[in-house]
């Protein structure tokens, strides 16, 4: 579980909003789900059993990312390094190169219109993805959540029960870690597929290089500046080309009032009424 922090930075020329884990060690709850909800917009139905949990999180920033999830949806791989003091501090000294295997790329989101109500979405965000979120609150929310909504938030999984989320639900999973709401998936559903792909590649590279370890805004911005000029430089130009400034400004799809501009909006597009109004 994490609390999403939106940032704008001049290093990428256009505004960029990335998120990093700054929350609790895991978010879980709920039972096994079918993952077979009908998808809209021409997408295939989600297949495979969903764990019914919010999966393993990257852990509290500064903790060892190898801890297993309490919800049983697969332990975190800890691919961004150990921030517990037993390994290098990758936030202040990020990797100079990122293995290609760490960049999984954008996975087409499985949109399920009507799976969650506005109340479901706001309840999930409060319990699992806000400044007041906690493991206990998130577990409780998932244990009582409508199954269709939990299925959509988690998305398809692989590897059996409980399995590992593929990152195609309302929650964006990377490297078996919950890194926030599925912003790229929202952009894709709003007709910005090229931006969704470029954004996911750049964000995943930034996280893989070590910035996922950063515990505050200042250190995250510094880390991002370093890797954008180093390990992740090859992903910057494609992002700048595919995600114009207008997408993130007033009236843009990811602007303050756009459908993908807020966490409720993103989840509304993917699992709610499809409008991006939080419902």
């Amino acid at each position: 579980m994490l609390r999403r922090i939106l940032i704008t930075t001049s290093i990428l020329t256009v505004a960029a909003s990335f998120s990093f884990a700054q929350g609790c060690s895991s978010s879980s709850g709920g039972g096994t789900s079918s993952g077979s909800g009908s998808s809209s917009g021409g997408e295939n139905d989600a297949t495979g059993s969903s764990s019914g949990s919010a999966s393993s999180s990257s852990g509290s920033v500064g903790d060892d990312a190898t801890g297993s999830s309490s919800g049983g949806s697969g332990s975190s791989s800890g691919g961004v390094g150990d921030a517990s003091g037993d390994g290098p501090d990758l936030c202040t000294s990020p990797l100079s190169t990122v293995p290609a295997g760490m960049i999984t790329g954008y996975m087409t989101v499985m949109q399920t219109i009507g799976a969650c109500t506005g109340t479901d979405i706001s309840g999930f965000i409060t319990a699992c993805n806000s400044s007041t979120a906690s493991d206990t609150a998130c577990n409780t929310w998932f244990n009582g959540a409508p199954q269709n909504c939990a299925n959509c938030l988690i998305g398809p999984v692989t590897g059996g029960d409980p399995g590992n989320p593929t990152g195609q639900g309302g929650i964006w999973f990377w490297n078996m870690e919950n890194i926030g709401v599925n912003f790229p998936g929202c952009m894709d559903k709003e007709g910005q597929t090229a931006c969704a792909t470029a954004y996911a590649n750049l964000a995943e590279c930034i996280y893989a290089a070590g910035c996922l370890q950063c515990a505050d805004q200042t250190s995250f911005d510094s880390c991002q500046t370093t890797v954008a000029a180093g390990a992740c430089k090859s992903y910057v130009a494609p992002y700048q080309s595919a995600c114009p400034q207008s997408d993130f400004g007033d009236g843009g799809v990811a602007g303050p009032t756009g459908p993908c501009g807020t966490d409720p909006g993103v989840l509304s597009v993917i699992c709610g009424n499809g409008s991006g109004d939080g419902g």
Side-chain angles (χ1 to χ4, degrees):
M1 176 176 54
L2 63 153
R3 295 186 277 278
R4 187 165 181 253
I5 294 181
L6 300 179
I7 67 171
T8 56
T9 174
S10 61
I11 62 166
L12 302 181
T13 302
V14 298
S17 56
F18 298 118
S19 57
F20 66 95
Q22 193 193 17
C24 306
S25 60
S26 62
S27 51
S28 64
T32 302
S33 68
S34 65
S36 58
S38 178
S39 168
S40 67
E43 298 293 347
N44 294 325
D45 290 350
T47 58
S49 297
S50 170
S51 66
S53 75
S55 172
S56 60
S57 163
S58 61
S60 300
V61 172
D63 291 341
D64 189 342
T66 60
S68 61
S69 165
S70 64
S73 57
S75 61
S76 168
S77 67
V80 295
D82 180 8
S84 64
D86 296 330
D89 178 2
L90 295 181
C91 178
T92 56
S93 299
L95 300 177
S96 59
T97 59
V98 173
M102 293 295 291
I103 311 299
T104 58
Y106 172 62
M107 299 286 287
T108 302
V109 70
M110 297 297 185
Q111 183 186 47
T112 307
I113 297 297
C116 302
T117 66
T119 300
D120 295 332
I121 290 171
S122 63
F124 164 75
I125 290 173
T126 298
C128 304
N129 202 40
S130 72
S131 61
T132 59
S134 68
D135 282 345
T136 299
C138 194
N139 291 343
T140 298
W141 187 88
F142 266 95
N143 282 328
Q147 197 66 68
N148 286 344
C149 182
N151 290 353
C152 184
L153 290 174
I154 296 165
V157 300
T158 60
D161 188 11
N164 300 314
T166 62
Q168 295 172 276
I171 302 171
W172 186 10
F173 291 97
W174 166 77
N175 200 30
M176 294 187 294
E177 296 175 0
N178 167 0
I179 56 173
V181 298
N182 197 338
F183 175 77
C186 184
M187 293 294 283
D188 182 14
K189 283 303 173 186
E190 291 298 313
Q192 303 292 326
T193 303
C195 180
T197 299
Y199 181 99
N201 287 340
L202 178 57
E204 290 178 2
C205 183
I206 289 172
Y207 299 147
C211 299
L212 194 62
Q213 289 187 2
C214 298
D216 57 64
Q217 185 73 68
T218 300
S219 59
F220 184 81
D221 287 348
S222 177
C223 182
Q224 184 182 217
T225 299
T226 298
V227 300
C232 303
K233 185 176 181 178
S234 63
Y235 296 104
V236 173
Y239 169 79
Q240 292 173 336
S241 176
C243 300
Q245 178 75 45
S246 58
D247 282 352
F248 297 90
D250 290 341
V253 65
T257 61
C260 301
T262 64
D263 286 3
V266 169
L267 296 182
S268 174
V269 167
I270 298 172
C271 299
N273 60 20
S275 70
D277 64 359

